[in-house]
Amino acid sequence: MNEPKITWYAKLSSDVEFNQTNEIYAGTYTSDNEIKVNIQMWNNRWGTVDVNSLTNFLINIYFDYIEDNSLFDYCSVVLNNSDILNIKKSGSVGVLEFPQTITLSGTKNDGTEENNPNHYISLDFTFKTSNNTKLKENDLKSIFFEIVPL
């Protein structure tokens, strides 16, 4: 059988629909403006043949520059609109800790969220500081999400 076929979809809170993408510009940080990105990670979306399920994996997140790692303190990720994930710092990487093992089905499907909840996970990423936090505003940062098989 074929390997899992992973695709990423994202939308900002101002967007109506998710768009397939590997990159998104999430906006400009100011102390009054949180940054929020809704992400879906699919296996075999709209697949016409079965592929292997994706199981036994972690998701690492990391910044482009190591000196930005202190910004993990202002990041949060919610899994499937319910579980706030712990971001376990390991060196320059944050590891998202899932509450249980996740398996993304690889069976062929019609690609709709309603009919295929076992083919994807949603991750709601938020960057927000408290009002008294002093950060340089409008300083461009890049954060990456990476699937790591166990």
Side-chain angles (χ1 to χ4, degrees):
M1 192 172 306
N2 294 326
E3 290 300 310
K5 184 179 175 187
I6 302 302
T7 48
W8 296 86
Y9 294 81
K11 72 175 185 171
L12 303 175
S13 52
S14 59
D15 294 337
V16 176
E17 295 182 359
F18 283 91
N19 294 301
Q20 183 176 350
T21 185
N22 287 326
E23 185 173 310
I24 189 167
Y25 175 73
T28 302
Y29 163 78
T30 65
S31 58
D32 299 327
N33 179 41
E34 72 181 18
I35 293 178
K36 186 168 186 172
V37 180
N38 305 104
I39 302 166
Q40 290 181 340
M41 185 181 91
W42 281 78
N43 186 16
N44 201 28
R45 188 169 196 185
W46 292 297
T48 56
V49 296
D50 292 348
V51 300
N52 286 332
S53 294
L54 178 66
T55 192
N56 258 348
F57 67 95
L58 297 172
I59 295 181
N60 287 344
I61 60 176
Y62 56 94
F63 288 93
D64 204 12
Y65 297 103
I66 291 174
E67 62 266 16
D68 295 331
N69 290 345
S70 63
L71 298 175
F72 281 132
D73 295 340
Y74 308 108
C75 298
S76 65
V77 179
V78 176
L79 173 67
N80 296 332
N81 300 313
S82 63
D83 295 312
I84 298 172
L85 300 180
N86 183 37
I87 301 173
K88 180 180 178 185
K89 296 177 197 172
S90 177
S92 61
V93 175
V95 180
L96 298 181
E97 294 185 325
F98 297 122
Q100 68 270 343
T101 301
I102 294 175
T103 299
L104 299 179
S105 175
T107 59
K108 58 186 176 181
N109 64 88
D110 67 5
T112 62
E113 294 174 29
E114 300 79 26
N115 293 339
N116 302 287
N118 57 342
H119 282 82
Y120 75 97
I121 58 172
S122 77
L123 301 167
D124 297 328
F125 171 83
T126 303
F127 181 87
K128 181 180 172 96
T129 65
S130 60
N131 290 337
N132 59 356
T133 304
K134 301 288 186 211
L135 293 177
K136 185 167 40 170
E137 294 185 356
N138 304 315
D139 187 17
L140 185 62
K141 303 292 181 202
S142 295
I143 191 167
F144 301 91
F145 286 67
E146 170 188 54
I147 301 168
V148 179
L150 295 176

